[in-house]
Amino acid sequence: QVQLVESGGGAVQSGGSLRLSCAVSGYTYSGCMGWFRQAPGKESEGVAVIDSDGGTSYADSVKGRFTISQDDAKNTMYLQMNSLKPEDTVMYYCAATRKYYGGAYYCLSPNQYNYWGQGNQVTVSS
């Protein structure tokens, strides 16, 4: 059974930092893994993803501020979020899929993912 457990969400002031963690079990890494965010009633948005070759891709709104990384020994994926803005306030989810089209850019599409974490709220105050 594949399980993704998230931690690290919380509230910070504008300009602050947070690091989200996603512990993965029952999954042999292939395809894509990454972070998504979704507000109630809105479409899911790919934030930061990494493919099985180590390639990464980011949403334009977070480039230069967010960094995705993996610790294979701990089977954990991270999202380092710096220079946070109020518009980053939303629920964040980690996800994984064995589907892979080739190239990290394609990993940004949320509809190909079938394994999801429970979500963590990030709140950035002005």
Side-chain angles (χ1 to χ4, degrees), residues 62-97:
V62 307
K63 288 180 179 178
R65 299 189 297 121
F66 291 11
T67 303
I68 187 171
S69 62
Q70 294 175 297
D71 186 332
D72 291 337
K74 296 182 178 180
N75 294 320
T76 301
M77 176 175 58
Y78 303 95
L79 181 66
Q80 180 66 47
M81 302 183 291
N82 298 326
S83 301
L84 283 162
K85 304 175 180 179
E87 50 263 44
D88 297 318
T89 297
V90 74
M91 188 75 75
Y92 287 75
Y93 300 85
C94 63
T97 180

Side-chain angles (χ1 to χ4, degrees), residues 10-39:
V12 297
Q13 290 185 295
S14 181
S17 298
L18 285 172
R19 189 177 74 161
L20 304 182
S21 298
C22 179
V24 182
S25 62
Y27 177 79
T28 301
Y29 183 62
S30 63
C32 311
M33 298 180 68
W35 295 91
F36 299 80
R37 60 189 184 185
Q38 185 175 21

Side-chain angles (χ1 to χ4, degrees), residues 43-60:
E43 296 292 325
S44 179
E45 176 190 22
V47 176
V49 294
I50 185 167
D51 66 21
S52 57
D53 295 321
T56 59
S57 188
Y58 297 88
D60 289 341

